[in-house]
């Protein structure tokens, strides 16, 4: 309904944008309050936040649909929250493209959460279970084993993507184990898991990207929330807000120093942190307008497709099938990054000579494939597949803790943000294979037992 109403008022770009933007907040409210479909009753809400209905939904809606408001106001002439000068002329074409993209975001949001709600069936019928007394120790063991294994696999040709999966699994397992150990007052487990968390946070800090750092803090807060609700709200919410302010400057400084190869990672991190904390421009309007949201890039794709670049149809899916094949079996396989960037250059988002990676988001690829219908279908399937995998994980691994909190969140973290078709389809396919592999290992060792 929000998309339909926004579409009916498309003749007034300002009003149409606002209806679509507010519409995403309406969708969030109606779904998260259980108005559309009742929330699962098998666990308290605070103990099921890693399910697609919550973390995936909130991150997608928050990052994709809600953050574009600053870009919208910049199109209207606002600068640093100051009203436009009287002589400012609004670029009407840009305003209409912004409204059109926001309508597509609203439609994609509705389609995605519809897919989730249609297949959200909790509690799932558990085929296997694990002794609760073994859970905390098992989580710590998975974290300890996965971490060095991921470092080994990254050095083996064709197996680097499994390294990424195991690294994420190790982080989630270690963080979850830490959240278990603290209230149980297990000093040894707490010490070991704290060490693992610090190592993983350091890796995130020296990755050169914002997302791993934010996720490191966010996940720990979510896992601690059931036992320390007030403490988490008082501490983690301000920390996350501070990270959003400081990280853009930190990441930019880190990339310019560490990625040149002249400065060691430790020194670059320290220098970048000092620069970010002392930089008075870390909350610049430019970051809020162009970096917090990807709508600027989306408007360029919409402007050129289908007016000068035809819809891709099933071409992106064919390229995704190619990406699934491991390079170890096909050494001459086309480079996925180059396949994705070809449509970026074709649309004129960035120039071929620039050293920039501007990969389209999943929802954008849905539009590039088949326009408005492509957005609806791709986002609906996105929600359906994510929810079905979460259901399967809980059925195989005895419930929420191992199934969704560990396996789904560890192996399928790419769902939280969603990249281009080629990257996400490849990652989800092989993550599903990894999930089955972990299941069979736990079954063979009789850790998972038949109900």
């Amino acid at each position: 309904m929000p998309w339909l109403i926004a579409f009916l008022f498309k003749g007034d770009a300002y009003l149409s944008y606002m209806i679509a933007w507010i519409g995403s907040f309406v969708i969030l409210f109606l779904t998260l309050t259980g108005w559309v479909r009742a929330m699962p009753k098998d666990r308290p809400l605070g103990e099921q936040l890693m399910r697609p209905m919550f973390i995936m939904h909130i991150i997608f809606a928050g990052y994709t649909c809600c953050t574009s408001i600053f870009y919208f106001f910049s199109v209207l002439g606002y600068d640093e929250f100051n009203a436009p000068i009287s002589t400012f002329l609004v670029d009407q074409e840009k305003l209409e493209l912004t409204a059109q993209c926001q309508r597509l975001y609203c439609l994609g949001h509705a389609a995605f959460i519809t897919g989730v709600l249609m297949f959200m069936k909790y509690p799932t019928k558990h085929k296997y279970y694990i002794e609760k007394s073994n859970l905390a120790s098992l989580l710590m063991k998975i974290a300890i084993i996965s971490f060095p294994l991921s470092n080994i696999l990254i050095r083996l040709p064709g197996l680097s993507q499994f390294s990424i999966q195991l690294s994420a699994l190790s982080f989630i397992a270690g963080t979850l184990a830490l959240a278990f150990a603290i209230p149980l007052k297990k000093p040894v487990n707490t010490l070991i898991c704290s060490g693992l968390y610090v190592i993983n946070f350091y890796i995130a800090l020296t990755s050169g990207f914002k997302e791993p750092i934010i996720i490191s803090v966010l996940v720990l807060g979510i896992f601690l929330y059931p036992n320390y609700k007030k403490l988490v709200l008082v501490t983690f919410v301000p920390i996350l807000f501070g990270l959003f302010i400081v990280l853009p400057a930190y990441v930019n400084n880190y990339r310019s120093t560490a990625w040149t190869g002249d400065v060691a990672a430790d020194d670059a991190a320290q220098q970048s942190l000092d620069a970010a904390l002392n930089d008075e421009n870390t909350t610049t309007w430019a970051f809020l307008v162009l970096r917090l949201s990807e709508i600027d890039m989306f408007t360029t794709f919409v402007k050129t497709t289908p007016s000068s670049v035809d819809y891709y149809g099933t071409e992106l899916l064919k390229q995704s099938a190619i990406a699934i094949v491991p390079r170890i079996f096909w050494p001459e396989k086309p480079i996925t990054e180059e396949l994705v960037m070809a449509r970026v250059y074709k649309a004129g988002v960035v120039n071929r000579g620039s050293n920039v990676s501007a990969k389209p988001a999943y929802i954008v690829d849905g539009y590039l494939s088949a326009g408005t219908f492509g957005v609806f279908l791709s986002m609906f399937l996105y929600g359906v597949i994510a929810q079905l995998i979460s259901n399967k994980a809980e059925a195989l691994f005895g419930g929420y803790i191992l199934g969704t909190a560990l396996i789904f969140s560890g192996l399928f973290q790419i769902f939280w943000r969603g990249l281009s078709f080629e990257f996400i389809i490849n990652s989800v396919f092989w993550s599903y294979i990894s999930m089955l592999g972990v299941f069979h290992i736990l079954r063979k060792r009789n850790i998972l037992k038949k109900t």
Side-chain angles (χ1 to χ4, degrees):
M1 289 303 295
W3 169 77
L4 182 60
I5 296 169
F7 181 78
L8 291 174
F9 284 95
K10 68 177 182 178
D12 185 333
Y14 179 91
L15 181 59
S16 182
Y17 172 91
M18 292 306 300
I19 292 170
W21 183 73
I22 294 171
S24 280
F25 288 95
V26 173
I27 293 170
L28 277 167
F29 176 78
L30 294 180
T31 52
L32 293 177
T33 57
W35 186 86
V36 179
R37 183 172 182 179
M39 291 293 98
K41 305 294 184 185
D42 59 324
R43 305 177 68 86
L45 288 182
E47 296 179 21
Q48 52 177 310
L49 296 177
M50 303 304 282
R51 284 173 171 164
M53 177 63 187
F54 298 99
I55 190 164
M56 264 187 70
H57 184 195
I58 292 168
I59 289 177
F60 169 78
Y63 179 77
T64 304
C65 306
C66 303
T67 55
S68 64
I69 190 68
F70 301 105
Y71 181 84
F72 174 68
F73 278 115
S74 77
V75 172
L76 296 177
Y78 284 79
D79 183 33
E80 299 290 350
F81 298 100
N82 296 317
I85 57 177
S86 57
T87 56
F88 179 82
L89 293 177
V90 175
D91 184 333
Q92 196 61 33
E93 182 189 25
K94 197 172 183 180
L95 179 61
E96 289 175 1
L97 284 169
T98 304
Q100 183 181 354
C101 289
Q102 192 64 35
R103 290 196 298 270
L104 291 171
Y105 280 156
C106 183
L107 175 64
H109 183 187
F112 158 71
I113 199 57
T114 298
V116 169
L117 288 172
M118 282 183 68
F119 291 88
M120 184 178 71
K121 297 176 182 178
Y122 299 114
T124 56
K125 186 177 180 181
H126 302 163
K127 300 177 182 178
Y128 304 91
Y129 74 97
I130 181 175
E131 299 288 349
K132 289 186 178 180
S133 57
N134 299 332
L135 198 52
S137 298
L138 175 64
L139 290 168
M140 189 172 70
K141 287 175 184 176
I142 291 174
I144 293 171
I145 294 170
S146 301
F147 184 74
L149 194 56
S150 69
N151 289 322
I152 294 171
L153 290 177
I154 202 169
R155 292 171 173 80
L156 299 178
L159 297 177
S160 59
Q161 68 179 3
F162 291 103
S163 169
I164 296 170
Q165 293 172 14
L166 286 174
S167 177
L169 187 65
S170 174
F171 163 68
I172 293 291
T175 308
L176 191 53
L178 178 61
F180 265 79
I182 293 173
L184 290 175
K185 297 180 180 179
K186 291 188 173 184
V188 176
N189 288 35
T190 303
L191 186 63
I192 294 172
C193 295
S194 296
L196 284 171
Y197 182 83
V198 169
I199 292 170
N200 279 296
F201 188 79
Y202 170 78
I203 293 171
L205 203 61
T206 55
S207 67
F209 298 96
K210 300 185 292 293
E211 287 84 357
I213 303 171
I214 293 171
I215 287 173
S216 296
V217 177
L218 177 65
V219 169
L220 180 60
I222 289 174
F223 286 158
L224 288 174
Y225 179 76
N227 291 305
Y228 306 100
K229 291 182 174 64
K230 290 182 180 178
L231 181 62
V232 167
L233 292 174
V234 170
T235 57
F236 280 81
V237 172
I239 289 172
L240 285 168
F241 181 75
L243 286 175
F244 274 103
I245 294 174
V246 173
L247 280 180
Y250 169 82
V251 168
N252 288 337
N253 277 285
Y254 183 84
R255 290 177 180 178
S256 62
T257 52
W259 288 8
T260 59
D262 299 329
V263 182
D266 291 351
D267 296 333
Q270 185 60 55
Q271 292 175 22
S272 302
L273 186 60
D274 292 340
L277 292 174
N278 295 320
D279 187 355
E280 295 181 355
N281 297 314
T282 55
T283 59
T284 58
W285 184 250
F287 163 68
L288 295 172
V289 170
L290 299 173
R291 299 299 298 276
L292 190 61
S293 167
E294 294 184 350
I295 195 170
D296 181 57
M297 183 167 63
F298 195 8
T299 58
T300 306
F301 280 113
V302 170
K303 184 179 180 179
T304 55
T305 303
S307 59
S308 57
V309 180
D310 289 335
Y311 291 125
Y312 286 84
T314 59
E315 184 180 338
L316 304 187
L317 293 177
K318 292 175 183 176
Q319 291 181 176
S320 300
I322 291 173
I324 288 175
V325 182
R327 192 169 295 278
I328 194 170
F329 299 124
W330 185 6
E332 296 82 21
K333 185 181 79 168
I335 298 172
T336 305
E337 178 87 11
E338 292 179 358
L339 291 175
V340 175
M341 289 302 293
R343 56 185 177 273
V344 176
Y345 298 138
K346 205 171 181 179
V349 176
V350 296
N351 297 321
R352 288 186 179 273
S354 61
N355 187 24
V356 176
S357 178
K359 294 182 283 292
Y362 179 89
I363 190 172
V364 176
D365 274 352
Y367 174 81
L368 294 177
S369 296
T372 301
F373 176 74
V375 168
F376 171 79
L377 181 61
S378 62
M379 291 307 304
F380 175 74
L381 292 175
Y382 192 72
V384 169
I385 293 169
Q387 186 58 57
L388 288 177
I389 292 174
S390 175
N391 292 347
K392 182 69 172 179
E394 293 203 15
L396 290 179
F397 293 91
Y400 171 80
I401 297 296
L402 281 186
T404 291
L406 175 64
I407 298 297
F408 181 75
S409 301
L411 295 179
F412 298 92
Q413 211 172 94
I414 195 168
F415 272 131
W416 293 2
R417 273 283 310 278
L419 295 175
S420 309
F421 275 11
E422 293 89 340
F423 286 105
I424 196 164
I425 291 174
N426 172 62
S427 178
V428 169
F429 177 86
W430 287 108
S431 291
Y432 196 86
I433 301 299
S434 297
M435 178 179 75
L436 296 180
V438 173
F439 165 73
H440 285 296
I441 291 171
L442 296 182
R443 277 290 294 136
K444 253 189 170 181
R445 297 185 63 85
N446 205 34
I447 295 170
L448 281 172
K449 302 174 183 179
K450 274 198 171 184
T451 52

